[in-house]
Amino acid sequence: MSKGYVVIFDDMKSCIDDVTKYLKELAVDLDVVSCDTLEKLRAALSDKGLMGLTRVLIFDLAVSEGEIKDFKFAILADIEEKFNTYRIPIFIHSAFAEHVENFKGYGTVFKVTKGADSVKQICTKIKLFLDSGLLETFCPGGIVENVIMQELHRSFTEQFKNNELEEILSSIEKSGIPEIKKRTEDVLLRIAIRSLFQNLMNSCKNKEDEIKEIELNAIEHYYRRKPVPAFMTGDAFVNKKTKENAIVITPRCNIVNKNYNQLLLCNVRKLTGDEIKGLKRKQETFRRALNSDVTLDYIKDKSGYLIQTPLFEGGLIDFNSIFSIDEKTFLAEYEYKISLSEELTNEIVRKLSAYISRGGISNTHLAEALYYIGAAKK
């Protein structure tokens, strides 16, 4: 049985042959299923058994002169349907790839213009995706699905003790809520997801009496939030004119309840060249920056460090740059970029709170104070 398939649609046999050849040279252990007509392609795409084992899709676009003239390709509907159904990389490999307006900004759809090395470029990416484990992580029946199902099973069998489950259901039933079933589904779903999340994120025990903390990839501190509401505490926005980043720091409860006159934000300052060089020179310095060590000169206690990743360029949240702006102006002048994880957001809020609540005390005369502890000069 095949370990997986690469399904390719192209009316040029030479292109299909090149994909097969390069994948073999790169030792990519995936079988190629080739389709040279739209009818054959759609037959393959409708085969659930085949698609359940497909790890990559490669599509050419044009099948007629009319499509080329208007840049309206019938196959885009098929691509859209598979994009919405299967969690696998999709390559649009065509001389007209740049004319496709669909899938702008989608990181799992790759538009590659046909050229001398375009097939090799695609196959090299597939090799990376396979070797890194990506193709077996998100695919149907893959690692993510299996882990989630295992953890959800644990959530059901271990999360509820004695008569707790019955008490939860009774509390919903007796609450007077009209849609009891929908409420029950929502509550149990959140319990399951929270249990799943916490079990995956918390420290894990490797050996007896030894607990090793999970080390996150820096990119895990950021995620793309659903667009409702339009902004939330910990969201990073960019000013459309100045290109300066800012973090929303208005408390969550105020945003949810729309209890604010203006939004509070902090600017994010980009690191200088010297600061970046300093982080690169010594790993210990970088480690301290990752943990927002206040003893670093450019962090101290008046800013929070945000790590640079492919999702967000990071920088320093400058607590001295707090400003307010009305919602209408904010939404007109700023554009959403990314959200900080809840953990990182809470840490930034704590640091900001500590900074603005620091009052300090009046200076005390040293010699007089030394006298009281018996250390004054005689």
Side-chain angles (χ1 to χ4, degrees), residues 16-272:
I16 294 175
D17 290 342
D18 285 345
V19 169
T20 304
K21 181 187 74 171
Y22 275 117
L23 290 178
K24 187 175 182 180
E25 289 179 0
L26 293 170
V28 173
D29 192 13
L30 296 172
D31 294 331
V32 175
V33 175
S34 60
C35 306
D36 57 4
T37 67
L38 202 53
E39 291 73 22
K40 289 181 181 179
L41 172 67
R42 285 174 174 164
L45 296 180
S46 62
D47 185 336
K48 292 185 178 180
L50 172 64
M51 291 305 300
L53 289 172
T54 296
R55 300 295 178 257
V56 179
L57 292 169
I58 304 174
F59 296 100
D60 191 8
L61 289 175
V63 294
S64 70
E65 290 296 328
E67 289 185 327
I68 296 174
K69 182 179 179 180
D70 299 328
F71 296 124
K72 293 181 180 180
F73 307 103
I75 196 173
L76 287 175
D78 301 273
I79 300 175
E80 183 83 32
E81 197 273 331
K82 294 309 162 188
F83 172 79
N84 291 326
T85 307
Y86 292 96
R87 296 173 298 280
I88 55 178
I90 295 175
F91 290 89
I92 297 176
H93 182 217
S94 169
F96 312 102
E98 63 184 42
H99 297 286
V100 175
E101 294 295 323
N102 310 53
F103 311 110
K104 278 189 175 180
Y106 287 82
T108 59
V109 179
F110 304 87
K111 300 174 186 177
V112 182
T113 302
K114 281 189 174 180
D117 64 345
S118 58
V119 170
K120 186 175 182 180
Q121 178 185 340
I122 290 172
C123 293
T124 301
K125 287 183 184 293
I126 294 174
K127 169 73 170 174
L128 172 63
F129 296 159
L130 180 66
D131 290 350
S132 65
L134 172 68
L135 298 185
E136 296 301 326
T137 300
F138 288 98
C139 67
I143 295 169
V144 168
E145 279 190 14
N146 288 328
V147 169
I148 287 177
M149 291 310 299
Q150 291 168 9
E151 289 297 331
L152 289 181
H153 177 76
R154 285 180 55 192
S155 174
F156 181 78
T157 58
E158 300 178 11
Q159 191 68 30
F160 308 107
K161 303 296 182 182
N162 302 318
N163 66 336
E164 292 173 349
L165 182 56
E166 184 178 355
E167 289 291 327
I168 294 170
L169 300 180
S170 296
S171 74
I172 297 172
E173 182 186 26
K174 303 298 183 183
S175 67
I177 296 175
E179 295 189 16
I180 296 175
K181 186 175 180 180
K182 179 63 168 62
R183 174 63 176 172
T184 301
E185 291 173 354
D186 290 344
V187 170
L188 295 183
L189 177 62
R190 285 192 294 267
I191 290 174
I193 296 301
R194 190 182 298 276
S195 171
L196 167 66
F197 176 76
Q198 294 299 336
N199 285 332
L200 289 177
M201 294 295 292
N202 285 346
S203 299
C204 56
K205 183 176 288 187
N206 288 352
K207 300 177 182 178
E208 188 176 355
D209 298 328
E210 180 183 347
I211 297 178
K212 183 179 180 181
E213 186 176 2
I214 292 173
E215 293 185 334
L216 301 182
N217 185 296
I219 209 166
E220 295 180 64
H221 291 291
Y222 308 109
Y223 73 102
R224 292 187 173 94
R225 187 177 57 76
K226 288 184 177 180
V228 178
F231 47 83
M232 181 53 68
T233 313
D235 282 355
F237 280 76
V238 60
N239 187 298
K240 296 175 184 178
K241 289 184 178 180
T242 67
K243 304 304 178 183
E244 187 173 37
N245 292 321
I247 301 292
V248 178
I249 57 172
T250 301
R252 294 181 180 91
C253 57
N254 291 79
I255 292 177
V256 171
N257 295 304
K258 292 189 174 296
N259 182 21
Y260 55 83
N261 293 320
Q262 293 204 326
L263 295 170
L264 286 175
L265 294 99
C266 270
N267 285 324
V268 179
R269 177 177 71 78
K270 293 181 180 179
L271 294 178
T272 66

